[in-house]
Amino acid sequence: MLNKYARAFFTRVLTPFAALLLRLGVSPDAVTLVGTAGVVAGALVFFPLGEFFWGVVTITVFVFSDLVDGNMARQSGRSSRWGAFLDSTLDRVADAAVFGGLALWFAGAGDSLLLCALAIFCLASGQVVSYTKARGESIGLPVNVNGLVERAERLVITLVLTGLAGFETTFGVPHLGVLLPVALWVVAVGSAVTLVQRVVTVRREAAAADAAPRAPAPGGTEKGRGGPA
């Protein structure tokens, strides 16, 4: 849901900035690479130190590149399979950095193996949720499902609550640190539910596709698995 409505809103807001970058000769791929590098740096430099507020500020600045690069590609008429592949691949890198940085904090000064494991689960489950859709589409299925917690929801929940938790570690505001574990539990449970939703959807769509009549091959014979060519 967030991915649908928030993306449309910010796309309109960022259109003038995307147009400016194009006039300056910046390519969409360069924006994708710089944005991912900024997110990775913000997560892996600040989060392991417990500087959640500044980490979230840095990540938020760069995470909008995910909207700007696509906007630039559409405006310039240079949308391509390579650009879509690069963008999707680096999204996975950025997500891994966010949860990897939190896992490093809990493995070190955060001193909680449970929350470290939970952050790793959020990292892994997010990757698998994305993979299920990509794999389903690669075998010709629509994977027509809106999951409970998709990438946009995972990022918003994690970054907002982590940033608020940072007010305790950075500015000494009490009782807000509990929001970080809350974020991880919500994302973990939501990702698990979303994974089940997508697996069930792919299974249903695959069964329907396999049961559909196959078009007859030229000459009146039907080509099937193990049948005559």
Side-chain angles (χ1 to χ4, degrees):
M1 183 179 294
L2 281 174
N3 194 48
K4 178 180 178 181
Y5 296 106
R7 180 175 288 270
F9 170 76
F10 283 110
T11 295
R12 290 194 298 270
V13 171
L14 294 171
T15 292
F17 180 62
L20 173 62
L21 291 177
L22 286 172
R23 288 196 297 272
L24 294 174
V26 179
S27 72
D29 288 352
V31 172
T32 303
L33 291 168
V34 170
T36 302
V39 171
V40 170
L44 297 183
V45 171
F46 290 105
F47 283 178
L49 299 176
E51 292 290 346
F52 303 126
F53 176 80
W54 295 115
V56 168
V57 168
T58 303
I59 291 169
T60 302
V61 169
F62 285 99
V63 81
F64 283 106
S65 66
D66 191 44
L67 300 177
V68 174
D69 55 6
N71 194 315
M72 293 171 65
R74 287 188 294 273
Q75 287 191 50
S76 63
R78 288 188 288 175
S79 295
S80 65
R81 291 182 176 87
W82 162 250
F85 169 81
L86 181 67
D87 185 63
S88 180
T89 300
L90 293 184
D91 281 349
R92 308 287 83 77
V93 173
D95 293 355
V98 169
F99 291 106
L102 293 174
L104 288 173
W105 161 253
F106 287 115
D111 194 24
S112 174
L113 290 181
L114 173 61
L115 293 177
C116 175
L118 192 61
I120 294 173
F121 177 82
C122 289
L123 188 163
S125 60
Q127 305 291 325
V128 176
V129 164
S130 297
Y131 175 79
T132 54
K133 185 173 181 66
R135 183 60 178 138
E137 291 174 343
S138 76
I139 58 175
L141 301 176
V143 196
N144 189 20
V145 60
N146 291 320
L148 178 65
V149 177
E150 297 183 324
R151 183 174 187 259
E153 287 83 1
R154 291 196 301 272
L155 281 179
V156 169
I157 292 168
T158 302
L159 294 180
V160 169
L161 295 187
T162 300
L164 291 174
F167 277 86
E168 179 169 336
T169 56
T170 301
F171 303 112
V173 179
H175 311 307
L176 290 180
V178 70
L179 293 177
L180 178 51
V182 168
L184 293 178
W185 281 110
V186 170
V187 171
V189 173
S191 296
V193 171
T194 304
L195 178 58
V196 172
Q197 289 176 301
R198 289 193 174 179
V199 169
V200 169
T201 298
V202 168
R203 187 178 189 278
R204 183 178 65 249
E205 292 176 350
D210 291 341
R214 294 184 177 87
T221 59
E222 181 181 325
K223 290 185 178 179
R225 179 160 39 180

